[in-house]
Amino acid sequence: MAKKLNVTPLHDRVLIQPAVAETKSAGGIIIPDTAKEKPQRGIVVAVGAGKKDEPMTVKAGDAVLYGKYAGQELEFEGKQYLIMRESDIVAIL
Amino acid sequence: MAKKLNVTPLHDRVLIQPAVAETKSAGGIIIPDTAKEKPQRGIVVAVGAGKKDEPMTVKAGDAVLYGKYAGQELEFEGKQYLIMRESDIVAIL
Amino acid sequence: MAKKLNVTPLHDRVLIQPAVAETKSAGGIIIPDTAKEKPQRGIVVAVGAGKKDEPMTVKAGDAVLYGKYAGQELEFEGKQYLIMRESDIVAIL
Amino acid sequence: MAKKLNVTPLHDRVLIQPAVAETKSAGGIIIPDTAKEKPQRGIVVAVGAGKKDEPMTVKAGDAVLYGKYAGQELEFEGKQYLIMRESDIVAIL
Amino acid sequence: MAKKLNVTPLHDRVLIQPAVAETKSAGGIIIPDTAKEKPQRGIVVAVGAGKKDEPMTVKAGDAVLYGKYAGQELEFEGKQYLIMRESDIVAIL
Amino acid sequence: MAKKLNVTPLHDRVLIQPAVAETKSAGGIIIPDTAKEKPQRGIVVAVGAGKKDEPMTVKAGDAVLYGKYAGQELEFEGKQYLIMRESDIVAIL
Amino acid sequence: MAKKLNVTPLHDRVLIQPAVAETKSAGGIIIPDTAKEKPQRGIVVAVGAGKKDEPMTVKAGDAVLYGKYAGQELEFEGKQYLIMRESDIVAIL
């Protein structure tokens, strides 16, 4: 789903291609528009090597949910990416 | 009580279906309307694999109490869910 | 003194039935009305299984003192309870 | 100096009977009235069992100094007590 | 790309020569101008010896991304450098 | 220089007799009157037994420098003392 | 460059003689006048014995860079010194 990028996240970081804004996702998950902090959805593009004694859980291709303010933005060939720590990911869809 | 969801909480996180608002729950627990932070009630739908050397205690189907501001909201097929760390759960009913 | 409740505190949490407001307790302990944070008194109703390598010290039936703002309120069959971490308890009476 | 109380401090806590206000203590220690936080003086009445691998240093009967805002107040048969962590005690007199 | 500097970063620190401001980098990575904290790009010039049991991952010559406010500025022979902890680096390009 | 006091600092604490205010100390150290936090000078009078696996470094009689706001004041027979943690001491003169 | 001082930094602290204000240092390092926190330059005069299992890296005579607000000032025979933790030093020149 995501083409290979020349970006290697460091340590426990994960590069994510955020899902385009849609009111209903492919898997049927809807992110409600409420007062609480909303998890966001995206596809993992690349993962770091993990930290000492802490291997990574997610892998490239996983659809994941993450907190609204997680990560830092990065643009490559016109596409938006996010890079965040694995601990900012709350679930695999 | 809760149908199978395609959501796998990461690490020590737990997916919970909150109880609908009611003044008296099935188990007879009433959440008082007072000044203190009130625990909320729900059913565990899915649990993560736990963290290193910290297996999870709750399991799917458990009725649990959690803090009022715990977790992040998530909507699936018209139902509201919460995803939170197990440490935000205070008791199993 | 406290009937069996279907509430199992998680990890290091303790369920407590607070003493009713009285100026002099059965054991002769009076909680003074001063500027400092006042400990409160109650009876332990249920205790969690403890955390890894940290067994619990208090047990059901213990009369305990705890900080004024400790814990979260919970109501069951018309009685008020508090659920808190054992570390919020300062003494056994 | 202090009669036996039915109070068992939990973990690393210590029950202290504060010295009555006096400008010069029996041991000759005077607590100056200055801008800095002043240590206070009292007698240890009861000590907890300590924390894991951290036995207690003070014992019942010790005269100790502690920080001005240390501990929580407790009244028993007309006497004021303080309950605090051993780490709030700065010295044995 | 960067000439040898007489600067040895201490412990887990890394000396970086920031990329000159450009809208499109050599590797095609564009740093978007948005509200979120933007990662910055540079070349590693020198790395510290690491901390105890924590060897360094990046090496001199690596193109890296780092947070917008990471590090401290340093000027040498008219060129700007940044010195930061390796943990402030989010990815290797 | 300092007479024996009946004060035993607890754990990692140190009792210090501050140097009287002087613009030039005996050892030639002058504490400048600038905007930065100024270290203060005094003589160690008594030291605690240290913490587990952390023996004390300073000993009674040492002239030491410490931070301006370090410690708590204590008066004994008309002399001012300070009681502080050893980690608040920055150097031995 | 620096005469022997009778000051022994405690634990992981380092005594530093700051470089006099100059726009270009001997080694060609210029500290830019920008909005970011600027590292400062000085010569190590004395180092502590280190902490348990953490030997010191810098030694007397090293030219070092440190953060702008690092350390505490100390004056000796008309010269200004700084005393700081080794972790406040970012690089050896």
Side-chain angles (χ1 to χ4, degrees):
Chain A
M1 179 172 287
K3 68 162 275 192
K4 186 67 175 58
L5 284 183
N6 276 332
V7 178
T8 305
L10 215 61
H11 305 153
D12 58 335
R13 287 189 175 83
V14 178
L15 186 73
I16 290 174
Q17 185 175 21
V20 294
E22 54 188 345
T23 52
K24 187 159 190 167
S25 73
I29 302 286
I30 296 173
I31 311 301
D33 183 13
T34 64
K36 285 206 180 182
E37 186 186 345
K38 291 173 292 181
Q40 307 286 316
R41 203 173 66 88
I43 302 295
V44 173
V45 175
V47 300
K51 288 198 290 187
K52 195 186 159 198
D53 296 330
E54 292 183 28
M56 302 296 273
T57 300
V58 300
K59 60 183 187 303
D62 284 350
V64 295
L65 294 175
Y66 48 86
K68 189 176 184 179
Y69 301 107
Q72 297 180 308
E73 289 181 352
L74 175 71
E75 184 181 321
F76 181 71
E77 297 187 349
K79 289 204 186 76
Q80 298 287 326
Y81 296 92
L82 282 171
I83 193 157
M84 66 184 66
R85 295 179 185 277
E86 190 185 78
S87 60
D88 290 327
I89 296 175
V90 298
I92 302 175
L93 295 176
Chain B
M1 180 174 285
K3 67 162 275 191
K4 187 67 174 60
L5 283 183
N6 276 333
V7 178
T8 305
L10 215 62
H11 305 152
D12 59 335
R13 287 188 175 84
V14 177
L15 186 73
I16 290 174
Q17 185 174 23
V20 294
E22 54 188 345
T23 52
K24 187 156 190 169
S25 73
I29 302 287
I30 296 173
I31 310 300
D33 183 13
T34 64
K36 285 207 180 181
E37 185 186 346
K38 291 174 293 182
Q40 306 286 317
R41 201 173 68 89
I43 302 295
V44 173
V45 175
V47 301
K51 288 198 290 187
K52 195 187 158 196
D53 296 329
E54 291 182 30
M56 302 296 273
T57 300
V58 299
K59 60 182 186 305
D62 283 350
V64 295
L65 294 175
Y66 48 86
K68 189 176 185 180
Y69 301 107
Q72 297 179 307
E73 289 181 352
L74 175 71
E75 185 181 321
F76 181 71
E77 297 187 349
K79 289 203 187 77
Q80 297 288 327
Y81 296 92
L82 282 171
I83 194 157
M84 65 185 65
R85 295 179 186 277
E86 190 184 80
S87 60
D88 290 327
I89 296 175
V90 298
I92 302 175
L93 296 175
Chain C
M1 179 175 286
K3 68 162 275 191
K4 187 67 174 58
L5 283 184
N6 277 332
V7 179
T8 307
L10 215 62
H11 305 153
D12 59 335
R13 288 188 174 85
V14 177
L15 186 73
I16 291 174
Q17 185 174 25
V20 294
E22 54 188 345
T23 52
K24 187 155 189 168
S25 73
I29 302 288
I30 296 174
I31 310 301
D33 183 12
T34 65
K36 286 206 179 181
E37 185 186 347
K38 291 174 293 182
Q40 307 286 316
R41 201 174 67 88
I43 302 295
V44 173
V45 174
V47 301
K51 288 198 290 187
K52 195 186 158 195
D53 296 329
E54 291 183 30
M56 303 295 274
T57 300
V58 300
K59 61 182 186 305
D62 283 351
V64 295
L65 294 175
Y66 49 86
K68 189 176 185 180
Y69 302 106
Q72 297 179 305
E73 289 181 352
L74 176 70
E75 185 180 320
F76 181 71
E77 298 187 348
K79 288 204 187 75
Q80 297 288 326
Y81 296 91
L82 283 171
I83 193 157
M84 65 185 65
R85 295 180 185 276
E86 190 184 80
S87 60
D88 291 326
I89 296 175
V90 298
I92 302 174
L93 296 175
Chain D
M1 181 175 285
K3 68 163 275 191
K4 186 67 175 58
L5 283 185
N6 276 331
V7 178
T8 306
L10 215 61
H11 306 153
D12 58 335
R13 287 188 174 84
V14 177
L15 186 74
I16 290 175
Q17 184 174 26
V20 294
E22 54 188 345
T23 52
K24 186 157 191 168
S25 73
I29 303 288
I30 296 173
I31 310 301
D33 184 12
T34 64
K36 286 207 181 181
E37 185 185 347
K38 291 175 293 183
Q40 307 286 317
R41 201 173 67 88
I43 302 295
V44 173
V45 174
V47 300
K51 288 198 290 187
K52 196 186 158 195
D53 296 328
E54 292 182 29
M56 302 297 273
T57 300
V58 300
K59 62 183 186 303
D62 284 349
V64 295
L65 294 175
Y66 49 85
K68 189 177 184 179
Y69 302 106
Q72 297 179 305
E73 290 181 353
L74 176 70
E75 185 180 320
F76 180 72
E77 297 186 349
K79 288 204 188 75
Q80 297 288 327
Y81 297 92
L82 282 171
I83 193 156
M84 66 185 65
R85 295 180 185 276
E86 191 185 79
S87 60
D88 290 327
I89 296 174
V90 298
I92 302 175
L93 297 175
Chain E
M1 179 173 284
K3 68 163 274 192
K4 187 69 175 57
L5 284 183
N6 275 332
V7 178
T8 305
L10 215 61
H11 306 153
D12 58 335
R13 287 189 175 81
V14 178
L15 187 72
I16 290 174
Q17 185 174 22
V20 294
E22 54 188 344
T23 51
K24 186 158 190 168
S25 74
I29 302 287
I30 296 173
I31 310 301
D33 183 12
T34 64
K36 285 206 180 181
E37 186 185 344
K38 291 174 291 181
Q40 307 287 316
R41 202 173 67 87
I43 302 295
V44 173
V45 176
V47 300
K51 288 198 290 187
K52 194 187 160 199
D53 295 330
E54 292 182 28
M56 303 296 273
T57 300
V58 301
K59 61 183 187 301
D62 283 350
V64 294
L65 295 175
Y66 48 86
K68 190 177 185 179
Y69 301 107
Q72 297 180 308
E73 289 181 352
L74 176 70
E75 184 180 321
F76 180 71
E77 298 186 348
K79 288 204 187 76
Q80 299 287 327
Y81 296 92
L82 282 171
I83 194 158
M84 66 183 67
R85 296 179 186 276
E86 191 186 77
S87 60
D88 290 328
I89 296 174
V90 298
I92 302 174
L93 295 176
Chain F
M1 180 174 286
K3 69 165 275 191
K4 185 68 175 60
L5 284 184
N6 276 332
V7 178
T8 306
L10 214 61
H11 306 153
D12 59 336
R13 288 189 174 81
V14 177
L15 186 74
I16 290 174
Q17 185 174 24
V20 294
E22 54 188 345
T23 53
K24 186 157 191 167
S25 73
I29 302 286
I30 295 173
I31 310 300
D33 183 13
T34 64
K36 286 207 181 183
E37 185 184 347
K38 291 174 293 183
Q40 307 286 315
R41 202 173 68 86
I43 303 295
V44 173
V45 175
V47 299
K51 288 198 290 187
K52 195 186 160 195
D53 296 328
E54 292 181 28
M56 301 298 272
T57 301
V58 301
K59 62 183 186 301
D62 283 349
V64 295
L65 295 174
Y66 48 86
K68 190 177 184 179
Y69 302 105
Q72 297 180 306
E73 289 180 353
L74 176 71
E75 185 180 320
F76 180 71
E77 297 187 349
K79 289 203 187 76
Q80 297 288 327
Y81 296 92
L82 282 171
I83 193 157
M84 66 184 66
R85 295 180 186 276
E86 190 186 78
S87 60
D88 290 327
I89 296 175
V90 298
I92 302 174
L93 297 175
Chain G
M1 180 174 284
K3 68 165 274 191
K4 186 68 175 61
L5 284 183
N6 276 332
V7 178
T8 305
L10 214 61
H11 305 154
D12 59 336
R13 287 189 175 81
V14 178
L15 187 73
I16 290 174
Q17 185 175 23
V20 293
E22 54 188 345
T23 52
K24 186 157 191 168
S25 72
I29 302 286
I30 296 174
I31 310 300
D33 184 12
T34 64
K36 285 207 181 182
E37 185 185 346
K38 291 174 292 182
Q40 307 286 316
R41 202 173 67 88
I43 303 295
V44 173
V45 175
V47 300
K51 288 198 290 188
K52 194 187 160 197
D53 296 329
E54 292 182 27
M56 302 298 272
T57 300
V58 302
K59 61 182 187 303
D62 283 349
V64 294
L65 294 175
Y66 48 86
K68 190 178 185 179
Y69 302 106
Q72 296 180 308
E73 290 181 351
L74 175 71
E75 185 180 320
F76 180 71
E77 297 187 349
K79 288 204 187 75
Q80 298 287 328
Y81 296 92
L82 282 171
I83 193 158
M84 65 185 67
R85 296 180 185 276
E86 191 186 77
S87 60
D88 290 327
I89 296 174
V90 297
I92 302 174
L93 295 175

